[in-house]
Amino acid sequence: MFFAGCRDAPPNVVHSLDDVSGRTIGALLGTPSERMANELGFAWAVGSTDELMFHLLSGALDCVIIESTVAAELVAETAGVRMLPEPLLVYDLRFAIAVENAGLLRAVDAALATLRQNGTLRGLSDMYFAGRRFTYVPPEDVERRPGYLSLAVSGDSPPFSFRDEFGEFHGLDIDVARAVSDIIGVELIIIEYDSWELIRAVRYGRADLALGWLPSEGDEQLINISEPYAVAEHVVIVRR
């Protein structure tokens, strides 16, 4: 969608990341950007990128926080906006696996490589970070194996992992873990933990995998860390 600049819009007031705090910030509803907008200023969350650009250009929003791939497309097709040069936040999302379970680490990394190649990881990231439609189709040619994988997640971290009104788990982390389990050929069992317990659950054998944490210095001495299944980079769009 192409937008023309609004003549009556106020001048841009966000020239660097230091200017974002305390502003009226647009974000896509239900994405990590909405959480960041709430933490930094007054969040105005809407359901589409068209709405974000309209309200930014009209002056109702001071800036927009959004995933970088989507931001690049919006800036390319929308007159009168630009992206701040420095990202607001960049982080990898990875599986945590017990140090003793090197075979599982290799199987997870191989499954992630397949999901990256066939577009599943990109599709799931776009669905949860950018509000785009994507339908995951499980593979049909995988030999099923006995047993299961147990996954430790936090149940209150949307859009990564959360329970719906029926108590069912959903989110980017859940969908990626299910897709990995489908390729390995085993059932996935989900166990809910507090976020601070996730690494401990894997380290002490209460779960095979953990998701919903950010790798920190020293983690590699306690657990194995998979290749990333998503790289989240959030940036700020402003008026020119």
Side-chain angles (χ1 to χ4, degrees):
M1 179 72 69
F2 178 87
F3 291 93
C6 298
R7 293 181 179 178
D8 298 330
N12 174 43
V13 293
V14 180
H15 303 283
S16 71
L17 296 182
D18 293 336
D19 299 328
V20 174
S21 180
R23 302 295 181 181
T24 301
I25 306 168
L28 286 174
L29 192 66
T31 66
S33 296
E34 181 185 3
R35 183 180 301 178
M36 281 184 271
N38 272 311
E39 293 173 352
L40 289 169
F42 174 73
W44 188 333
V46 299
S48 73
T49 54
D50 285 354
E51 289 182 83
L52 285 177
M53 292 300 96
F54 176 82
H55 292 307
L56 178 62
L57 288 170
S58 72
L61 297 174
D62 294 321
C63 61
V64 166
I65 297 176
I66 199 164
E67 197 271 333
S68 61
T69 303
V70 182
E73 296 176 359
L74 290 175
V75 169
E77 66 187 14
T78 306
V81 302
R82 65 183 177 89
M83 190 190 313
L84 294 185
E86 295 295 325
L88 182 64
L89 181 66
V90 182
Y91 55 97
D92 291 343
L93 302 173
R94 301 171 183 260
F95 285 85
I97 300 167
V99 171
E100 299 81 8
N101 206 342
L104 179 57
L105 176 65
R106 290 191 295 270
V108 168
D109 281 341
L112 289 175
T114 298
L115 294 170
R116 189 174 297 108
Q117 184 176 16
N118 67 22
T120 297
L121 294 183
R122 181 73 260 174
L124 290 173
S125 293
D126 285 349
M127 182 171 69
Y128 285 104
F129 289 152
R132 295 176 176 171
R133 292 183 179 181
F134 177 75
T135 301
Y136 167 67
V137 179
E140 298 179 353
D141 56 349
V142 174
E143 181 180 354
R144 302 302 298 180
R145 305 179 184 182
Y148 61 87
L149 289 175
S150 55
L151 174 72
V153 295
S154 170
D156 58 354
S157 301
F160 303 104
S161 55
F162 58 94
R163 289 183 182 271
D164 64 15
E165 62 271 27
F166 304 107
E168 298 294 326
F169 277 103
H170 297 281
L172 173 63
D173 290 351
I174 306 298
D175 286 353
V176 170
R178 284 181 174 139
V180 166
S181 297
D182 285 342
I183 290 178
I184 294 175
V186 296
E187 180 186 358
L188 181 71
I189 295 177
I190 300 170
I191 309 172
E192 185 174 359
Y193 287 92
D194 291 332
S195 58
W196 62 271
E197 291 184 294
L198 295 174
I199 296 303
R200 183 180 297 179
V202 169
R203 186 182 179 191
Y204 294 109
R206 298 197 294 269
D208 298 311
L209 309 164
L211 292 175
W213 58 285
L214 296 178
S216 58
E217 187 176 351
D219 278 347
E220 66 277 3
Q221 299 176 8
L222 304 175
I223 55 171
N224 281 323
I225 301 173
S226 76
E227 292 297 315
Y229 57 89
V231 178
E233 180 179 64
H234 300 274
V235 298
V236 178
I237 299 178
V238 301
R239 290 184 295 279
R240 286 190 177 275

